[in-house]
Amino acid sequence: MTLILGLESSCDETAAALVTADRAIRAHQLAGQEADHRPFGGVVPEIAARAHVEALTPLVAAALAEAGVSLADVDAIAATAGPGLIGGVMVGLVTGKALALAAGKPLIAVNHLEGHALSPRLADPDLEFPYLLLLVSGGHCQLLLVEGVGAYRRLATTIDDAAGEAFDKTAKLLGLGFPGGPAVEKAALAGDPKAVPLPRPLVGSGEPHFSFAGLKSAVLRARDSGQYAAEDIAASFQQAVVDCLIDRTRRQLGAVEATALVVAGGVAANKAVRAALEGLAAEHGLRFVAPPQWLCTDNAAMIAWAGAERFRAGLVDGLDAPARARWPLDPHAEKARGAGVKA
Ligand code: KG4
Ligand code: ZN
């Protein structure tokens, strides 16, 4: 059975995994860097890149040991080649190239977003193309029609912040700690989602996109008013994000043919987000697919799996494959109005 080694190092998780074409996760190794970045309240690119240098090669050795295989048993090596923090991307991609060269194996340069986009198919063998994907992470907030391997139609994106970024900034504003998403989710459990009136940017808008910058400013004003408990702000913020995600996703469900509604990316680990999307899918008589939480946040199993899907399709890369800080999944997507670098 085809066996793919996957490497991930595009943000603040270093990871190596071995996955087969029939969905067996033979090894899954991951080292977080939270402690390195916590004093700064966010990911510091230079610190991240250095931490990847230290962690990645030992994780590859650990993954091979976990699966009880050697590099010779691997059919191809898949490494994240972007988008992401370029120092980290370069560490992972060059490591992948060196292993591919040394072992005489093909290299697959994987788009990190494609890893997230195809991860639901690793979790669910019955998920067929095309599906409507809400990709919500620290760097992206997009609705994509996933039509096949390498065939992604971007229907909507954020015109300012990504959803995960809004969670991270809210956590910082409320002093809830780092990483922000899980901290806000935890605080929200003890709060009232109706306590603080917050805006729902672009909800009901005729254009398809997302916006979260205004929400973040409203959180700042609510905090500075001194009127509200941090838990109530967290719960109200989370509800506002959920309402935005649902409204924008509902708009697309009426417009596309899809076999399922799928969510992926770090924010898909959020239980309120998952529950609301599940309800929306049920409303439309559609299947709802969400990978398990560990597969939603960054990991190398999703990169190995995207590698397996590309390998099966005959899509391999040369040893000169570039590292890219920016790499849109849909090269034909138009720039969204007002969209900044993250679109
Ligand atoms: O996909 P990911 O691990 O990295 C990127 O590719 O960006 O996503 C990380 C993002 C962070 O912004 C983090 O705060 C958010 O996902 N996140 C969450 C939760 N867990 C992670 N957001 C809300 N609720 C969570 N439980
Ligand atoms: Zn990611």
Side-chain angles (χ1 to χ4, degrees):
M1 181 47 65
T2 303
L3 181 66
I4 309 290
L5 170 65
L7 309 179
E8 162 59 32
S9 59
S10 65
C11 190
D12 61 342
E13 317 281 356
T14 320
L18 285 154
V19 173
T20 68
D22 63 355
R23 295 182 170 76
I25 298 167
R26 299 280 306 276
H28 159 51
Q29 296 282 331
L30 186 138
Q33 308 174 356
E34 280 91 3
D36 297 331
H37 300 294
R38 190 167 287 120
F40 306 94
V43 178
V44 182
E46 179 78 23
I47 292 174
R50 289 164 192 259
H52 290 307
V53 168
E54 290 170 25
L56 185 56
T57 320
L59 287 178
V60 172
L64 292 169
E66 183 186 347
V69 298
S70 73
L71 265 186
D73 302 315
V74 167
D75 292 285
I77 293 162
T80 297
L85 302 174
I86 196 65
V89 171
M90 285 164 57
V91 172
L93 182 58
V94 170
T95 303
K97 289 180 177 189
L99 292 172
L101 180 63
K105 306 289 179 179
L107 172 78
I108 303 166
V110 173
N111 184 314
H112 178 85
L113 300 175
E114 183 171 45
H116 281 302
L118 296 176
S119 66
R121 281 169 52 83
L122 169 58
D124 185 338
D126 299 324
L127 177 59
E128 303 281 354
F129 302 119
Y131 50 87
L132 181 64
L133 171 73
L134 174 63
L135 176 50
V136 270
S137 70
H140 297 85
C141 185
Q142 305 188 343
L143 280 159
L144 295 150
L145 189 64
V146 181
E147 296 175 312
V149 176
Y152 311 95
R153 196 141 62 80
R154 199 196 72 191
L155 307 169
T157 187
T158 179
I159 62 168
D160 41 54
D161 293 349
E165 190 178 2
F167 269 95
D168 294 333
K169 287 178 175 171
T170 292
K172 207 167 176 178
L173 288 173
L174 298 178
L176 296 174
F178 175 84
V184 171
E185 179 170 21
K186 186 158 171 253
L189 287 175
D192 174 3
K194 295 201 178 73
V196 188
L198 293 173
R200 269 71 175 155
L202 293 186
V203 163
S205 160
E207 63 177 313
H209 300 302
F210 298 89
S211 168
F212 295 102
L215 186 52
K216 174 194 62 194
S217 312
V219 164
L220 175 62
R221 284 193 297 276
R223 182 200 69 178
D224 289 347
S225 76
Q227 287 182 58
Y228 306 105
E231 289 77 9
D232 287 340
I233 301 178
S236 301
F237 162 81
Q238 182 172 276
Q239 187 59 50
V241 172
V242 166
D243 290 350
C244 294
L245 295 176
I246 293 298
D247 176 78
R248 308 284 70 197
T249 307
R250 177 180 283 125
R251 186 182 186 280
Q252 294 298 341
L253 278 178
V256 297
E257 283 293 321
T259 64
L261 173 60
V262 177
V263 66
V267 181
N270 185 285
K271 292 195 187 65
V273 169
R274 291 167 89 101
L277 288 167
E278 188 164 16
L280 179 65
E283 233 176 68
H284 286 77
L286 271 182
R287 285 186 63 213
F288 174 65
V289 178
Q293 287 198 13
W294 74 267
L295 199 52
C296 287
T297 47
D298 288 348
N299 65 84
M302 70 180 191
I303 302 304
W305 173 252
E309 296 244 45
R310 292 188 76 85
F311 190 66
R312 181 164 46 212
L315 300 169
V316 298
D317 296 273
L319 289 175
D320 59 349
R324 309 187 208 191
R326 304 196 201 301
W327 186 3
L329 257 191
D330 177 357
H332 306 296
E334 283 176 23
K335 205 165 181 254
R337 173 188 65 83
V341 294
K342 296 180 197 76

